[in-house]
Each structure stands twice: as structure tokens, then as C-alpha cells.
Amino acid sequence: MNPDVKYFLQLVLSGLTKGSIYALIALGYTMVYGIIKLINFAHGEIYMIGAFTALIIGGVLQITTELSPLVILGISLVAAVFYSAAYGVTLEKIAYKPLRNAPRLTALISAIGMSLILQNFVLLAQTSDFLPFRSMIPDFSFLIPGKSLLTTTQLVIMVTTFVVMLFLTLLIKFTRMGKAMRATAQDKVMAQLVGIDINRVITFTFVIGSATAAIGGVLIANHTGQINFYIGFLAGIKAFVAAVLGGIGSIPGAVLGSFVLGMTESLGAGYISSAYDNAFAFLILILILIFKPSGLLGRNEVEKV
Amino acid sequence: MKKSVLVLVAMALTVSLFIGCAKDSGTIKIAVVGAHSGDLASYGLPTVKAAELVAEEWNKKGGLLGKQIELVIEDDACKPEVAANSAAKVVGDGVVAVIGHICSGATKSALGIYNEAGIPAISPSATNPPLTQSGNYPNFFRTIAPDDAQAYTDSKFVAEVLGAKKVAILHDKQDYGKGFADFCMAALEEMGVETVLYEGITVGGIDYSSVLTKVANTDAEALIFGGYHPEASKLVQQMTQRGISIPFVSDDGVKDDTFIQVAGEFAEGVYASGPMDTSDNPMYKKAVQDHIDAYSEDPGAFFINAYAAATAMMNAIDKAGSTEGDAIMSALRSEYVETPLGSISFDEKGDAIGVGFAVYQVQNGVYVEL
């Protein structure tokens, strides 16, 4: 293969990986925003709690049982999903539900507060040090010759992102619950009038959003090999940018925005300098918001007068 | 009103002059100045304890030049503006030598004052290279290697032991990491090694595959990284997974057991430089044991360097047979002294000969000195 072409291909694949990583977190952001118009800043912490749950459950299973790594991964993933979903729902009940009719800024501040509380809770309950997270994903043998292009974990992250996006899109388009979610998003009062239990819909949204965050947390920790209480903040910021870029509230938008962001960072790092990858990310955000303030796939909301 | 204040000040000054004279008789005063309060107090207080232990030992033996040693302890809070005041104060107190300061910035602002007064100062922890290398402070000595010594050690290792002709350098864009990377690049250039890639990476990044792709795309024979262990462990893991097998060489921020713990199997074979290990030295063991006996806890940061500094300074005064600054300084430069850091002396610039960095490699899950 021509070295220049190979280099370009490697950068594109690395951009796709970064994009998939951001997308796994951005999907939850955008779903919650779509339904209750709240930027859930504690979403990154739910992601971090997912990773910690998998670390603990996986660690215990690795020591006490002789299950194969894939089974352990599966069990940890399920545990992380349940645990994070419980956190997400509790968060909504404690911090957001009482503020549902308050100004949007109030709920936003509440979200930032919850983010700090959860970070410091994990800091106190666990440790401030980085903890090693041994990869639970065994290398696929068919990928070994091409590992300079694409590693197994990267492939798993990409595939998962697409499956999750597909699942969410189908869920929202074709199920009863999806219909109820769309109705709640459009007009909460009218939705209640036609008999939709919006509390149930919102709880469900937090369950799904937190579950995707937990899946993201586990897979990304497999990729980075280490976690601490602060990973959610850093990842959350990038995912938030990606969600805004794609048009916050739109599921395909979150994925598209994430890929645009990941690709910009990767190509920028590859052809210009990796010292400025954050600068490229925010530059593209500014450019897109100047020309399309609602984001790539966001719908312009008509202000009713 | 104003007049009365002036009178008061004048009176206070006169009284303080008398106090200064009155104290000047039977003791040799040595100042210990550093960060003793504020968030960097943990860097400065162990030096006070080290100086106290060494002084106590000399005093038990009958003191220095027949006089008891009296320590004058001043706080500079690691702030340059406070350090200048502390320096003026201890000079006014009539000290013959200074152990300190702790932070490079504070040390720099105090040194001019000591220099004018002809008083030697020895720091256990100020690593900023120009303090010795600029030649502005002939009265300055230190028992810690300057920042660039570490880069020099690593560069020499890469050029001579690994025999690399081309290297890639990454850093984390922070003071310590980038400083190390810059010093390495300069040192390697002098040794005839070409830097084919020099890039910063973002701290806390999730995925470094783009920049590693870039490294793999060069013909670098080694990768030097300036930064701390969280990024280093992600880099080595992702390098291994992508099949990039060139040696990974890094700094003291990576020569930490947490790195091995977090990076696990991926840490194997990584090179990192760190201070030479002298924990087998009998004086080292004795200093630590004395500290435990006196304070019933393990010593803190720079304790060993401070113990060495105090030992060297008192030995120099003893050998010089005088409290004259010039005599002490020439004794520091000419006499070798046994310290917990080994047998050391000082070169023309004031850096310790025999104190430095060594390269370590992770072998079977532990750092082994090469």
C-alpha cells in the first residue's frame, strides 16, 4: 500500500474511533435534552460510574471465578448498565424532577451540582489515583495482521456505537414508548392531556441514556486501560461539544457531530499538530454554529410569539 | 502623629541592633529558609527537621569551631517577594551560611542578597538550571541535580546505549514535561541525534492513536516522552496494541510505581530516569532512622537532600576553620564529604558532583537501575 494512503487511512480510522467514543456518550446527552430540554452535566459522571462498576465487578469475577474474559465482560457490562441506570433515575428524581417547572437555568445549575457531588463521592469512596483497567476484550485473531490500522477494541467500539444508534432510532420511530417520548418532547401538557404518563417517559429516557453511558464507560475504559473519578468530566465536555455540533436533541445528529469532531481532531493532529487537537475541535464547533446555529441536523425551533 | 511613629521605629531599630549584638557571642548561626507555611509547606518542613538533626549531632560532639550551632529558621512561603525579606532578615541576624531556599523562584530572589553579604547558600531542592549555570550566583550550591541533568542523562542513554540516530519526542504541554522535552531535543542535537517529530499531546485524552500513527510513520528509532504517568501508560498501551515496538524513554514523572501498576504488562521494557538510588547507603539509613526516632514518622520530601546539604555545609565550615564566606565556599568546592547521597563535592558552578540521575528499566514489573 502506498505509505501516504496508508497514513491517511490510519488517521481516518483513528478519527472514526474517537468519533465513536464521543458518540457513545453524546447519545445520552442528546436524548435527555430532546425530552426535557435539560443539559445533563452529570451524564459524564454516570459514564464514570459505569466504568467503576465494571472495574469492581470484573475484578471480583476475574479473581474468584475462571470464566472466560468475554463472559466476564458481558456480566460487568450488564452490572454497569443496571447500576448506572439506577444512578441516572435517582438523579432525575432527586435533582431534576422538583425543578421541572422552574426556569431552565435552575435545572442546569442543579445538574452541575450533581456532577460535582458524584465526582467527589467517587473520589472519597474509591481513590484519587488512576486505577488500572485491564482490557476484557480479547484480540480477534483476524485483526492481528492489521493491528497497525485497527485494533480489536477500536472495532468493538465502532460496531457498538452503530448498534446503539440504530436501536435508539428504531425505538423512537417505531415503538409505543418512542411515540410517547416524541409527544412529551413536543408538548408536555398536551401529552398529559392525551393520557401519556410523562413521568414514566422521562424515567425511561434516563434509564436508556444512562445505560448507553455505562456501555460507553466500560468500552472506553477497555481502550484507555485506566480510570479515575475525573474521566467523566473530560469525556463529557467533548461529548457535549459533539452533541451541540450535530444539533442537540437529534440522535443521528449526535453521531454525525461526534464523527465530524473525531475526524477533525485526528486529521488535524496527523497533518498539522496534535498539540492543537482541542483547538481544532472548538474551531469546527464555532464555524458550524456560525453558519448553522441549530447544529448539523438540528431543527430550527420557531419561537411562538 | 507621624513623628511619634518615626521615633518608635527608630527606637525599635536601635533595640534590635542591641539584640543582634548581644546574641552574637557564643554561637554559629546558620539559617534554614524555605516554605514552612502554605500549600508547599510539605516541601519545606522536612528540610528544617534535617537541619535540626544534623546540627544536634554536631552540637553533641562539641559544636563547630568550638561553638554551638544555632539555627535561624525563616519562612518564605515559596514566594519570591517574601523570600527577599526573609533573606534580608537572616543576613541582619548575622548568619554565616544558609540552608535553603526550597523553591527555585524564591531561591533566585534571595540569592542576590546573600551574594552581596558574601554568605554561601545551599539548597536541597531548587532545580532550575540557570541558578548555577548562569554564573550570577557564585555563592550558590545544591544537593539536587538541575532539571536539565535528567534530560541529559536520558539523551545520553538514547544516543549511546540505544544507539538511536533518529528520535520522536512527545510532551504533555505542561511546564515539567515540555521543559524536559526541550532539554532533550537540545542535548540530542549536540550528540548528533536528529529529532524527526516533536509534538505536544493533550492531558487526559482518551485516544492517542492519531499521534502514534504519526510516530509510526516516521523512521524514529526511539520515542522520548516528557510528562507524567497517566498519559505515559495510555501511550505505551496503545503503542503495544498497534504494534509500535520502538523503545519508550521517559522522565521522573513516569518513574513511579503507579505507572507500572496502571500500565501492567505494557510497562515492561519502558525506560525512565530518576534520581540515583542511594537507599543502601549507611548514612541514608541512619538519617531516616534518626528522623523516625525523633518524630516517629517517615521523613518527607527532599529530606535526604536536605540532610546532605546540612552535612556538607557544616563540614565545609569545619574544614575551612572559619566563618568567612569565601573560605566556606572554597571548602565546599574542594572537600569531598560523606552524605546520605554518597560522597559528594561541588563543581565550579555549585552543582553537586556525584548527585544525579540514573536510567531505570521496567523488568518483570519493577524498575531496575541500569
Side-chain angles (χ1 to χ4, degrees), chain A residues 108-120:
Chain A
L108 188 73
I109 302 293
S110 181
I112 293 173
M114 290 320 284
S115 159
L116 291 174
I117 288 174
L118 288 178
Q119 269 178 31
N120 288 289

Side-chain angles (χ1 to χ4, degrees), chain A residues 9-60:
Chain A
L9 211 61
Q10 281 173 326
L11 290 178
V12 167
L13 284 168
S14 141
L16 284 176
T17 313
K18 279 188 184 172
S20 313
I21 288 172
Y22 297 149
L24 273 175
I25 315 170
L27 281 168
Y29 256 119
T30 216
M31 256 187 85
V32 168
Y33 185 87
I35 306 292
I36 56 170
K37 301 284 178 287
L38 165 75
I39 294 166
N40 181 12
F41 271 114
H43 190 69
E45 274 56 58
I46 299 289
Y47 150 88
M48 176 262 295
I49 285 171
F52 264 94
T53 313
L55 177 72
I56 294 165
I57 302 283
V60 169

Side-chain angles (χ1 to χ4, degrees), chain B residues 163-176:
Chain B
K165 289 276 155 247
K166 290 176 175 176
V167 296
I169 299 181
L170 299 180
H171 62 82
D172 66 357
K173 299 193 281 185
Q174 296 185 1
D175 284 348
Y176 174 68

Side-chain angles (χ1 to χ4, degrees), chain A residues 7 10 14 18 21 130 132 134 147-149 151 154 220 223-226 266 269-270 272-275 277-278, chain B residues 173 199-202 204 206-207 209-211 213-214 217 230 233-234 237-238 240-243 258 261-264:
Chain A
Y7 183 57
Q10 281 173 326
S14 141
K18 279 188 184 172
I21 288 172
F130 275 96
R134 297 279 162 265
K147 70 178 174 183
S148 68
L149 278 176
T151 66
Q154 286 179 313
I220 295 163
H223 183 56
T224 58
Q226 57 180 284
S266 182
I272 306 170
S273 167
S274 74
D277 58 354
N278 280 342
Chain B
K173 299 193 281 185
E199 290 237 349
I201 61 169
T202 304
I206 291 170
D207 185 279
S209 52
S210 333
V211 74
T213 301
K214 219 168 166 176
N217 206 39
S233 51
K234 279 184 245 183
Q237 176 177 354
Q238 290 173 20
T240 312
Q241 285 168 346
R242 305 182 79 81
T258 321
Q261 210 185 359
V262 170

Side-chain angles (χ1 to χ4, degrees), chain B residues 318-343:
Chain B
D318 186 46
K319 289 277 156 59
S322 136
T323 55
E324 279 302 309
D326 287 338
I328 301 173
M329 287 182 227
S330 73
L332 278 169
R333 292 204 175 90
S334 58
E335 301 286 339
Y336 269 84
V337 54
E338 288 302 321
T339 71
L341 297 172
S343 179

